[in-house]
Amino acid sequence: MAVAADTLPDLGSDYPLTPQQVTDFQRDGHICLRGVCTEGEIEAYSPLFAEAVAERARAVKPMDERDTYGKAFLQIMNLWREDARLKQYVYSRRFAKIAAELLGVPGVRLYHDQALYKEPFGGHTPWHQDQHYWPLDTDHTVTMWMPLVDITADMGVMDFASGSHRLGYLGDMPISDESEAAWSRLIQEKGFSVVNHGDMHAGDATFHTGWTLHAALANSTPRMRDVMTI
């Protein structure tokens, strides 16, 4: 039986942030917030996203035929446009309010969503800046990264280079072996602390600015790493 949008959790309630969390985010360029969604909320939405990703990933090449970027994850964009139930998650007032408060702005707009499902034994995600890909004339950008299943560090939890967002745009360097080498050197030269927030429960979330350098290790387990980003 199909699940109707109006039977799903609306994700409209507030997630309270402390002034210290806002300060930490603006200083480091990233933060991990626990329990942004409840277990029940994730149980309602997670199967819908998994179904949508599986349907759209059928044409993906075998792992051994892909480049480094292709091995990093299954990437499905703008699912909100195709399913009103998924739109309800992507358009969550709760997520938007957190993003706005972290950035210190009165409101935010959606640029896009991405399902980033790192397959069993899928490759690493090289160091990169999200905003390299975004044709936006503002630095007030943020990505929410939320696992829809419980994940351990060996499934590809993200690494962040704390403070790297202050460097701004670092050049035309898409996600690749070249970006991994170049930004690894830069992180070492600048002495940025690399932070990994460790195991995450479904419904926990990280938020990072558009210029924050980040990466993820390979998924060395036989389990899919189901993650939604906005």
Side-chain angles (χ1 to χ4, degrees):
M1 183 179 295
V3 177
D6 60 6
T7 67
L8 292 166
D10 69 2
L11 308 180
S13 60
D14 286 355
Y15 180 94
L17 291 175
T18 67
Q20 187 61 54
Q21 286 173 319
V22 175
T23 297
D24 291 347
F25 171 81
Q26 294 181 356
R27 178 195 66 217
D28 298 334
H30 64 90
I31 194 168
C32 181
L33 301 176
R34 304 292 180 175
V36 173
C37 281
T38 67
E39 182 178 349
E41 289 167 343
I42 291 297
E43 286 179 350
Y45 283 100
S46 182
L48 304 179
F49 280 107
E51 180 183 356
V53 170
E55 176 67 26
R56 291 160 180 79
R58 290 179 179 175
V60 175
K61 294 178 181 179
M63 187 76 71
D64 59 3
E65 296 180 17
R66 304 182 219 164
D67 61 11
T68 298
Y69 183 52
K71 292 176 181 177
F73 36 61
L74 298 174
Q75 179 178 224
I76 313 295
M77 296 180 65
N78 287 328
L79 286 169
W80 72 269
R81 291 180 171 175
E82 302 183 36
D83 191 320
R85 300 170 303 173
L86 306 185
K87 180 178 179 179
Q88 192 160 298
Y89 172 96
V90 174
Y91 271 53
S92 158
R93 175 186 175 276
R94 184 185 307 160
F95 304 160
K97 188 170 187 291
I98 293 170
E101 289 181 355
L102 290 174
L103 290 173
V105 297
V108 292
R109 292 181 291 172
L110 173 70
Y111 182 63
H112 64 65
D113 70 61
Q114 284 181 299
L116 298 177
Y117 280 43
K118 194 177 284 288
E119 297 159 281
F121 308 109
H124 72 288
T125 307
W127 286 105
H128 64 282
Q129 295 180 303
D130 286 347
Q131 197 163 332
H132 161 78
Y133 292 97
W134 301 342
L136 303 174
D137 187 20
T138 177
D139 288 333
H140 289 300
T141 60
V142 62
T143 296
M144 184 190 82
W145 189 96
M146 178 180 285
L148 303 179
V149 295
D150 292 346
I151 61 174
T152 52
D154 56 359
M155 293 174 71
V157 178
M158 287 212 289
D159 290 334
F160 298 96
S162 291
S164 59
H165 62 301
R166 297 192 197 96
L167 298 179
Y169 177 59
L170 293 174
D172 184 11
M173 186 75 73
I175 299 174
S176 60
D177 293 332
E178 290 73 25
S179 74
E180 175 71 12
W183 302 150
S184 291
R185 280 195 308 273
L186 179 71
I187 289 165
Q188 186 173 22
E189 290 168 0
K190 297 291 186 180
F192 292 127
S193 175
V194 175
V195 174
N196 184 295
H197 294 290
D199 298 353
M200 298 177 69
H201 290 298
D204 293 344
T206 61
F207 288 76
H208 62 274
T209 77
W211 294 135
T212 302
L213 285 168
H214 58 288
L217 296 178
N219 181 359
S220 60
T221 77
R223 294 170 291 159
M224 182 76 84
R225 188 208 71 182
D226 305 25
V227 165
M228 266 306 295
T229 71
I230 302 172

